[in-house]
Amino acid sequence: MVLENIKYPKSVKFLYETLIGRIILKILTRPFISKIMGLFMDSSFSKFYIKKFIEKNNIDMSVYEEKEYKSYNDFFTRKMKEEFFTFRLDESTLPSPCSSKVSVYKINENSVFEIKNSKYSVETLLQSKSLARKYENGYIFICRMTEDDYHRYSFIDDGEKDEDVFIKGVLHTVQPIALNHYNIYKMNSRSYSLLHTKNFGDVIQMEVGALMIGRINNYNLKTFKRGDEKGMFEFGGSTVVLLFEENKIT
């Protein structure tokens, strides 16, 4: 796959294309740095980013609940007004869990699939050989959010949820230039849930964080309805992955 011809900031090129930059990057991607950045984005000092972000990304704020934001994260996790949040309730339809750009791959025993221009198997993504076998000949949906997307995500059907599984990782930038030097997804922290759904069988829904996103906020729900909010990301572009068993969807 050929990467797009993107002009990167000099700071990003410095971090990934020089020896000193890569040393600095090792420090910047340590978990404690992510926590410090998260604290800053939760503070009132981060509010000055909000106006610039809205203007840069042409965000239509009329579709979101009106409030005074206490921090950048408070703005980033903004909630849509009910009249603008639509979800397909027809049980014969498979809805998207979030606002995103979607790629779909067929899964078999030896297949690999592409996430952000890197190749992965289901086993390496889940870190479980037995669970990966369950989804052979099924499908994987990769729903990639960008910064201007709505960063809350929902359940795709009625059902019950097992305990969340969290896989700790090293957080790196989502910018494609990083792929010249790092295998991004294997090092990202992620959380997944096994959903026992009414219409689609046992579905894996996974949330994956990016640079300086130390928090994937999933709600403590055991049962859910189609369209119920499952959780939200804080600060940055992120990804939701869905895994379906064989013969459960067309």
Side-chain angles (χ1 to χ4, degrees), residues 108-129:
N108 60 52
E109 184 179 3
N110 300 310
S111 69
V112 293
F113 50 87
E114 305 240 353
I115 299 177
K116 297 177 183 175
N117 302 302
S118 291
K119 294 181 179 180
Y120 300 88
S121 67
V122 174
E123 182 181 339
T124 56
L125 191 63
L126 298 175
Q127 293 189 357
S128 171
K129 182 177 289 187

Side-chain angles (χ1 to χ4, degrees), residues 25-83:
L25 187 66
K26 283 182 178 290
I27 299 172
L28 290 177
T29 53
R30 301 288 292 179
F32 78 92
I33 295 294
S34 179
K35 290 179 181 179
I36 292 172
M37 193 64 183
L39 290 173
F40 172 73
M41 287 301 177
D42 278 337
S43 74
S44 59
F45 297 107
S46 63
K47 289 197 296 184
F48 74 91
Y49 283 119
I50 297 174
K51 184 178 179 181
K52 293 180 180 178
F53 183 88
I54 292 172
E55 293 174 351
K56 179 181 177 182
N57 293 284
N58 297 314
I59 305 294
D60 181 5
M61 294 303 295
S62 67
V63 303
Y64 297 101
E65 294 180 350
E66 296 178 9
K67 61 176 291 187
E68 182 178 348
Y69 297 107
K70 299 177 181 178
S71 66
Y72 183 82
N73 260 337
D74 190 29
F75 159 74
F76 193 79
T77 57
R78 61 196 179 276
K79 193 174 181 64
M80 275 188 171
K81 296 176 181 177
E82 287 188 12
E83 60 265 34

Side-chain angles (χ1 to χ4, degrees), residues 103-115 120-126 128-142 202-206 241-249:
S103 299
V104 181
Y105 303 90
K106 180 76 173 177
I107 303 167
N108 60 52
E109 184 179 3
N110 300 310
S111 69
V112 293
F113 50 87
E114 305 240 353
I115 299 177
Y120 300 88
S121 67
V122 174
E123 182 181 339
T124 56
L125 191 63
L126 298 175
S128 171
K129 182 177 289 187
S130 59
L131 191 56
R133 287 199 193 102
K134 184 178 176 71
Y135 294 93
E136 288 178 8
N137 302 313
Y139 286 95
I140 182 168
F141 282 60
I142 300 164
D202 287 348
V203 178
I204 292 284
Q205 181 165 335
M206 173 182 280
V241 176
L242 297 175
L243 296 172
F244 295 92
E245 301 168 283
E246 184 179 11
N247 298 323
K248 295 299 182 179
I249 60 171

